[in-house]
Amino acid sequence: MRLLVAFPLLLVALLPPPAQAATGDLAAPATKEIAMELVSSAENSSLDWRAQFSYIEDIGDGRGYTAGIIGFCSGTGDMLRVVRAYTRAKPGNRLARFLPALRRVNDTDSHRGLGRPFVKAWRKAAHDPAFQRAQERERDTGYFRPAVRLAKSDGLGALGQFIYYDAAVVHGVDGMKGVRRRALRSAATPGAGGSETSYLEAFLDERVVEMKKEAPHENVDRVELAQRRFLHEGNLGLTPPLRWSVYGDAYEILR
């Protein structure tokens, strides 16, 4: 009888502890606003992400023009999707005539058929609410929602959800998934019974490796002085106050 009682107790003792509920939801409006400001601090050195609808330049990363609220690129297809969506919503807009050129330069760093007229048209279109909605829709459908959905399935709280999203912004969703695959070699997600902190440390380690593969992205302040700082502070819910620095500039969100 003693063995019969002890055996189920032993099995219980060997089971992994139940996973804790994830802290926070990046899709909640107030937290999503924080996410947008964090990305903007790294992408545009400003918390005012709404001022970036008009941003456009070639940063020399081999992706052609980088533009808009999260850096849509003429060479990666997302800029083309933004202009297509804008044209569906508002035919005859000032960017519509550049659609053939955007199709041609996709997967290249070429400016052929774009150049100064396109840059000027982008900046003027940025004042149009329909164009702003097209940018936000592409951000959400192409980057934010897939990243947050995957992070939630991995049992991550708001900080982990943001860490996935920021990786998707810079490396694309496929690139973010590649970072995740490498992190899984050394740590389990909380959804699989692992430690959230240990897993995110592993993910950020692999993110740094990925960042340093390209000269335009080799500065890792957005990882080390923001995301890892929040992690070391134990702020898995990405709860204000938040203080961080990027490229020598200090930022804070107090609300």
Side-chain angles (χ1 to χ4, degrees):
M1 288 296 293
R2 204 173 295 164
L3 286 174
L4 291 174
V5 173
F7 185 65
L9 291 175
L10 179 61
L11 285 177
V12 171
L14 291 175
L15 291 174
Q20 294 184 345
T23 305
D25 180 359
L26 201 68
T31 315
K32 185 176 181 180
E33 182 70 16
I34 289 171
M36 300 305 110
E37 292 178 1
L38 285 167
V39 168
S40 186
S41 73
E43 293 286 321
N44 302 102
S45 298
S46 169
L47 297 186
D48 187 2
W49 65 270
R50 291 178 178 84
Q52 312 311 321
F53 288 111
S54 62
Y55 164 74
I56 181 168
E57 67 175 321
D58 189 327
I59 64 173
D61 64 353
R63 296 179 175 92
Y65 285 116
T66 296
I69 53 175
I70 61 167
F72 306 110
C73 296
S74 58
T76 62
D78 52 0
M79 181 181 285
L80 174 61
R81 290 193 295 272
V82 168
V83 177
R84 277 177 175 164
Y86 180 34
T87 302
R88 284 195 297 270
K90 192 172 183 177
N93 69 76
R94 65 180 69 247
L95 288 172
R97 68 187 179 97
F98 294 101
L99 279 169
L102 285 170
R103 284 191 287 268
R104 286 195 299 269
V105 303
N106 193 28
D107 293 325
T108 78
D109 62 355
S110 175
H111 295 178
R112 188 177 180 183
L114 300 174
R116 292 180 64 184
F118 176 70
V119 170
K120 185 177 179 179
W122 182 282
R123 289 173 177 160
K124 287 187 175 181
H127 299 287
D128 185 347
F131 185 48
Q132 295 174 9
R133 287 193 294 272
Q135 289 195 37
E136 292 195 54
R137 189 176 301 113
E138 176 62 22
R139 175 201 64 198
D140 288 348
T141 59
Y143 299 90
F144 186 81
R145 290 174 190 158
V148 170
R149 184 165 55 245
L150 179 58
K152 286 181 176 179
S153 73
D154 282 342
L156 299 173
L159 175 60
Q161 294 163 35
F162 173 73
I163 286 172
Y164 275 26
Y165 169 59
D166 187 70
V169 166
V170 177
H171 310 294
V173 171
D174 288 343
M176 176 270 289
K177 289 179 178 178
V179 173
R180 175 181 177 271
R181 282 193 297 272
R182 296 194 298 274
L184 287 172
R185 296 171 187 166
S186 57
T189 67
S195 159
E196 184 168 8
T197 299
S198 297
Y199 171 71
L200 289 177
E201 288 279 14
F203 186 95
L204 293 179
D205 287 346
E206 293 298 336
R207 173 78 193 280
V208 167
V209 172
E210 190 68 22
M211 292 281 287
K212 291 186 175 181
K213 290 179 180 178
E214 298 181 86
H217 299 139
E218 65 183 359
N219 184 298
V220 293
D221 284 0
R222 68 196 297 158
V223 175
E224 300 293 8
L225 302 183
Q227 296 167 40
R228 205 184 301 266
R229 173 175 177 167
F230 304 149
L231 182 61
H232 289 174
E233 291 171 347
N235 193 350
L236 297 175
L238 203 61
T239 305
L242 298 168
R243 294 179 176 86
W244 73 100
S245 59
V246 186
Y247 316 134
D249 298 322
Y251 300 92
E252 62 180 11
I253 296 175
L254 301 178
R255 61 182 180 277

